[in-house]
Amino acid sequence: MPQDVLLMVILAVVGIYSTRWSARLAPLTSEMPLKTGAATLLCGFGVVAAFTTPLPLTARVSIIVLGVVFVAGPLLLVGVARADQYRLARLLASLLYWTDDGQTGSRRILAQVALQKADADEVLALLPDDLKDADANVLRAQAYALQERWEEVLGLELPGSGDNTFLALAAQIQALIGLGRLDDAGDLLGTMRDRWQQQGQGPLGYRSIQLSQARLDAARGNVGMVREQFQQPLPGAPTYQVAAILADAAANAGQHDAALKLYQQTYTLAPEAQRDRYARILERYGQPLPEVERAATRLSIATLSFVAVLVAAYGVQLLIDQRYGPRVGSIVAGFLLNVPGVPQADDSWRYISYAFVHGNLLHIGFNCWVLYDIGQLYERRRHWGNLLMSFVFGTGMGAYLTVVAQGNDQLVLVGASGGVLGVAGALLADTWRSNLPHDRHLTRALLQWVAIIVIFSLAIPNVSLWGHVGGLIGGLLWGFVRQGLPNSRRLDLMAGGIGFGVMVYAVVQAGRWLVVHGPQI
């Protein structure tokens, strides 16, 4: 399948999800869902046309550009907002959507992200006072509840149906409990259950009912009932809220030692915007605040820049293939093992340069996606210099282990997977030795992800198992080495300079190879 057609297939599939998601926050006939839906249909039309009457190049490019902008646009807004860059997210929204409906829908998306981070101030800033519709009030109710503005929660007009309504009803039950009106809270909970039965028993309603029942039991000091409620994990329920409800139950039951431990746990788990509330409770107990990792929320500039460099390198690779012939780009910079007739096939710079060429669009797309996800986590913990060095260690070790394991095979190794796994390995080395709850969870997630990659490498032909395993080992090596060195910004900058220099050297050598040997191919 041609790469442009494959990209249109991916955009069409993602577009279905993106359209459904945006339609939950704005009317289906408003600008945001309409643009996303139209771009999705356009991509689907491009795929069908590819097998019937192929479209001209300009038409295919136009479809892909519109698909990337309006299918990925809402997802990009979410990514920027999750980095706490709300001003930039609003600017992007104003470029994508030009009507009041479009702006309102995009603000609701951003407000949902702020709610996930428990940032009530940002939620309310994104919902101007003149936006009085009931759907916006669902978001307001949750923000007011985070700020314990109980009377204002109860004064909001809510929609009469829809699964999202249960989130606001749960906020109203929380408000009634906060005001000490437990009987009224119980009555509203009964009404909530009846409505949930009538409206199809959606997942948001179920979670809201379970949390509301647990809060009511906690207010009455029924510790056993609350623990029974949470014996099985409640999908989608924030961990800090579960810990806070258990702490409230213990406090209301007079179990002060248990309550203190649970409030300390809640403080460490809570989003930064909510920690002040639990800090005040711990101060009342006369306890110091527990140590907690404060994650940086800035945009990870080095990770984004690195992704952009890989994309640009792939563009150069396509130009080389167009100029000199198919797969020539892979020969220019790939790691070559037992490939006859290629000058400088075993030069050392190929141990690094192969990370900058890829097999196809899906290959580079997957690598860039994973690098963005994992790279920003490591960059925020350590420094961009360690990100570059872990990538270099992973890339070099991926090629080296391939030689050790497959020294008699003939192969061309391409792709940034080894370097990406190097970053993952360095991050795993950091989290492995941490006792923070978030890091323990991240360690499990990374190990599961590595297991999936290994299975993926074994199951699919032409995927380098040893390149992946070597990348992980190289990253772990750098991660543990960095932990043994002093925590110095100068060392981080030195590591970054060395890593950057090694990669530039490898790419320049690949360019020289093309200049010297390209005309002879």
mmCIF file with all atom_site columns, all heavy atoms in Angstrom, residues 418-430:
data_model
loop_
_atom_site.group_PDB
_atom_site.id
_atom_site.type_symbol
_atom_site.label_atom_id
_atom_site.label_alt_id
_atom_site.label_comp_id
_atom_site.label_asym_id
_atom_site.label_entity_id
_atom_site.label_seq_id
_atom_site.pdbx_PDB_ins_code
_atom_site.Cartn_x
_atom_site.Cartn_y
_atom_site.Cartn_z
_atom_site.occupancy
_atom_site.B_iso_or_equiv
_atom_site.pdbx_formal_charge
_atom_site.auth_seq_id
_atom_site.auth_comp_id
_atom_site.auth_asym_id
_atom_site.auth_atom_id
_atom_site.pdbx_PDB_model_num
ATOM 1  N N   . GLY A 1 418 ? 15.926 1.584  18.549 1.00 0.00 ? 418 GLY A N   1
ATOM 2  C CA  . GLY A 1 418 ? 16.954 1.333  19.548 1.00 0.00 ? 418 GLY A CA  1
ATOM 3  C C   . GLY A 1 418 ? 17.168 2.540  20.446 1.00 0.00 ? 418 GLY A C   1
ATOM 4  O O   . GLY A 1 418 ? 17.263 2.414  21.670 1.00 0.00 ? 418 GLY A O   1
ATOM 5  N N   . GLY A 1 419 ? 17.241 3.725  19.839 1.00 0.00 ? 419 GLY A N   1
ATOM 6  C CA  . GLY A 1 419 ? 17.416 4.937  20.629 1.00 0.00 ? 419 GLY A CA  1
ATOM 7  C C   . GLY A 1 419 ? 16.212 5.231  21.509 1.00 0.00 ? 419 GLY A C   1
ATOM 8  O O   . GLY A 1 419 ? 16.357 5.658  22.656 1.00 0.00 ? 419 GLY A O   1
ATOM 9  N N   . VAL A 1 420 ? 15.001 5.009  20.978 1.00 0.00 ? 420 VAL A N   1
ATOM 10 C CA  . VAL A 1 420 ? 13.784 5.234  21.768 1.00 0.00 ? 420 VAL A CA  1
ATOM 11 C C   . VAL A 1 420 ? 13.762 4.295  22.971 1.00 0.00 ? 420 VAL A C   1
ATOM 12 O O   . VAL A 1 420 ? 13.430 4.697  24.090 1.00 0.00 ? 420 VAL A O   1
ATOM 13 C CB  . VAL A 1 420 ? 12.542 5.041  20.888 1.00 0.00 ? 420 VAL A CB  1
ATOM 14 C CG1 . VAL A 1 420 ? 11.282 5.056  21.732 1.00 0.00 ? 420 VAL A CG1 1
ATOM 15 C CG2 . VAL A 1 420 ? 12.471 6.122  19.818 1.00 0.00 ? 420 VAL A CG2 1
ATOM 16 N N   . LEU A 1 421 ? 14.134 3.044  22.747 1.00 0.00 ? 421 LEU A N   1
ATOM 17 C CA  . LEU A 1 421 ? 14.199 2.100  23.863 1.00 0.00 ? 421 LEU A CA  1
ATOM 18 C C   . LEU A 1 421 ? 15.334 2.455  24.819 1.00 0.00 ? 421 LEU A C   1
ATOM 19 O O   . LEU A 1 421 ? 15.272 2.135  26.015 1.00 0.00 ? 421 LEU A O   1
ATOM 20 C CB  . LEU A 1 421 ? 14.350 0.679  23.337 1.00 0.00 ? 421 LEU A CB  1
ATOM 21 C CG  . LEU A 1 421 ? 13.013 0.035  22.978 1.00 0.00 ? 421 LEU A CG  1
ATOM 22 C CD1 . LEU A 1 421 ? 13.196 -1.049 21.927 1.00 0.00 ? 421 LEU A CD1 1
ATOM 23 C CD2 . LEU A 1 421 ? 12.328 -0.538 24.202 1.00 0.00 ? 421 LEU A CD2 1
ATOM 24 N N   . GLY A 1 422 ? 16.365 3.113  24.299 1.00 0.00 ? 422 GLY A N   1
ATOM 25 C CA  . GLY A 1 422 ? 17.405 3.622  25.182 1.00 0.00 ? 422 GLY A CA  1
ATOM 26 C C   . GLY A 1 422 ? 16.853 4.658  26.153 1.00 0.00 ? 422 GLY A C   1
ATOM 27 O O   . GLY A 1 422 ? 17.163 4.647  27.352 1.00 0.00 ? 422 GLY A O   1
ATOM 28 N N   . VAL A 1 423 ? 16.013 5.558  25.652 1.00 0.00 ? 423 VAL A N   1
ATOM 29 C CA  . VAL A 1 423 ? 15.369 6.549  26.520 1.00 0.00 ? 423 VAL A CA  1
ATOM 30 C C   . VAL A 1 423 ? 14.467 5.851  27.533 1.00 0.00 ? 423 VAL A C   1
ATOM 31 O O   . VAL A 1 423 ? 14.445 6.185  28.717 1.00 0.00 ? 423 VAL A O   1
ATOM 32 C CB  . VAL A 1 423 ? 14.572 7.564  25.677 1.00 0.00 ? 423 VAL A CB  1
ATOM 33 C CG1 . VAL A 1 423 ? 13.848 8.555  26.584 1.00 0.00 ? 423 VAL A CG1 1
ATOM 34 C CG2 . VAL A 1 423 ? 15.502 8.307  24.711 1.00 0.00 ? 423 VAL A CG2 1
ATOM 35 N N   . ALA A 1 424 ? 13.715 4.844  27.051 1.00 0.00 ? 424 ALA A N   1
ATOM 36 C CA  . ALA A 1 424 ? 12.839 4.088  27.958 1.00 0.00 ? 424 ALA A CA  1
ATOM 37 C C   . ALA A 1 424 ? 13.650 3.372  29.035 1.00 0.00 ? 424 ALA A C   1
ATOM 38 O O   . ALA A 1 424 ? 13.254 3.326  30.205 1.00 0.00 ? 424 ALA A O   1
ATOM 39 C CB  . ALA A 1 424 ? 12.002 3.086  27.165 1.00 0.00 ? 424 ALA A CB  1
ATOM 40 N N   . GLY A 1 425 ? 14.803 2.815  28.651 1.00 0.00 ? 425 GLY A N   1
ATOM 41 C CA  . GLY A 1 425 ? 15.650 2.125  29.612 1.00 0.00 ? 425 GLY A CA  1
ATOM 42 C C   . GLY A 1 425 ? 16.212 3.072  30.668 1.00 0.00 ? 425 GLY A C   1
ATOM 43 O O   . GLY A 1 425 ? 16.270 2.737  31.854 1.00 0.00 ? 425 GLY A O   1
ATOM 44 N N   . ALA A 1 426 ? 16.618 4.272  30.238 1.00 0.00 ? 426 ALA A N   1
ATOM 45 C CA  . ALA A 1 426 ? 17.128 5.256  31.195 1.00 0.00 ? 426 ALA A CA  1
ATOM 46 C C   . ALA A 1 426 ? 16.036 5.695  32.161 1.00 0.00 ? 426 ALA A C   1
ATOM 47 O O   . ALA A 1 426 ? 16.282 5.863  33.367 1.00 0.00 ? 426 ALA A O   1
ATOM 48 C CB  . ALA A 1 426 ? 17.704 6.463  30.445 1.00 0.00 ? 426 ALA A CB  1
ATOM 49 N N   . LEU A 1 427 ? 14.818 5.877  31.639 1.00 0.00 ? 427 LEU A N   1
ATOM 50 C CA  . LEU A 1 427 ? 13.691 6.225  32.504 1.00 0.00 ? 427 LEU A CA  1
ATOM 51 C C   . LEU A 1 427 ? 13.388 5.094  33.484 1.00 0.00 ? 427 LEU A C   1
ATOM 52 O O   . LEU A 1 427 ? 13.126 5.340  34.675 1.00 0.00 ? 427 LEU A O   1
ATOM 53 C CB  . LEU A 1 427 ? 12.460 6.530  31.643 1.00 0.00 ? 427 LEU A CB  1
ATOM 54 C CG  . LEU A 1 427 ? 11.161 6.862  32.376 1.00 0.00 ? 427 LEU A CG  1
ATOM 55 C CD1 . LEU A 1 427 ? 11.338 8.106  33.248 1.00 0.00 ? 427 LEU A CD1 1
ATOM 56 C CD2 . LEU A 1 427 ? 10.024 7.065  31.376 1.00 0.00 ? 427 LEU A CD2 1
ATOM 57 N N   . LEU A 1 428 ? 13.453 3.848  32.994 1.00 0.00 ? 428 LEU A N   1
ATOM 58 C CA  . LEU A 1 428 ? 13.203 2.690  33.860 1.00 0.00 ? 428 LEU A CA  1
ATOM 59 C C   . LEU A 1 428 ? 14.253 2.609  34.966 1.00 0.00 ? 428 LEU A C   1
ATOM 60 O O   . LEU A 1 428 ? 13.932 2.281  36.116 1.00 0.00 ? 428 LEU A O   1
ATOM 61 C CB  . LEU A 1 428 ? 13.204 1.417  33.017 1.00 0.00 ? 428 LEU A CB  1
ATOM 62 C CG  . LEU A 1 428 ? 12.934 0.098  33.736 1.00 0.00 ? 428 LEU A CG  1
ATOM 63 C CD1 . LEU A 1 428 ? 11.573 0.124  34.418 1.00 0.00 ? 428 LEU A CD1 1
ATOM 64 C CD2 . LEU A 1 428 ? 13.008 -1.068 32.750 1.00 0.00 ? 428 LEU A CD2 1
ATOM 65 N N   . ALA A 1 429 ? 15.503 2.918  34.633 1.00 0.00 ? 429 ALA A N   1
ATOM 66 C CA  . ALA A 1 429 ? 16.560 2.906  35.658 1.00 0.00 ? 429 ALA A CA  1
ATOM 67 C C   . ALA A 1 429 ? 16.254 3.919  36.754 1.00 0.00 ? 429 ALA A C   1
ATOM 68 O O   . ALA A 1 429 ? 16.528 3.683  37.942 1.00 0.00 ? 429 ALA A O   1
ATOM 69 C CB  . ALA A 1 429 ? 17.911 3.213  35.015 1.00 0.00 ? 429 ALA A CB  1
ATOM 70 N N   . ASP A 1 430 ? 15.672 5.060  36.385 1.00 0.00 ? 430 ASP A N   1
ATOM 71 C CA  . ASP A 1 430 ? 15.312 6.079  37.368 1.00 0.00 ? 430 ASP A CA  1
ATOM 72 C C   . ASP A 1 430 ? 14.160 5.628  38.256 1.00 0.00 ? 430 ASP A C   1
ATOM 73 O O   . ASP A 1 430 ? 14.207 5.759  39.477 1.00 0.00 ? 430 ASP A O   1
ATOM 74 C CB  . ASP A 1 430 ? 14.918 7.371  36.650 1.00 0.00 ? 430 ASP A CB  1
ATOM 75 C CG  . ASP A 1 430 ? 16.031 8.408  36.690 1.00 0.00 ? 430 ASP A CG  1
ATOM 76 O OD1 . ASP A 1 430 ? 17.177 8.034  36.999 1.00 0.00 ? 430 ASP A OD1 1
ATOM 77 O OD2 . ASP A 1 430 ? 15.750 9.585  36.419 1.00 0.00 ? 430 ASP A OD2 1
#
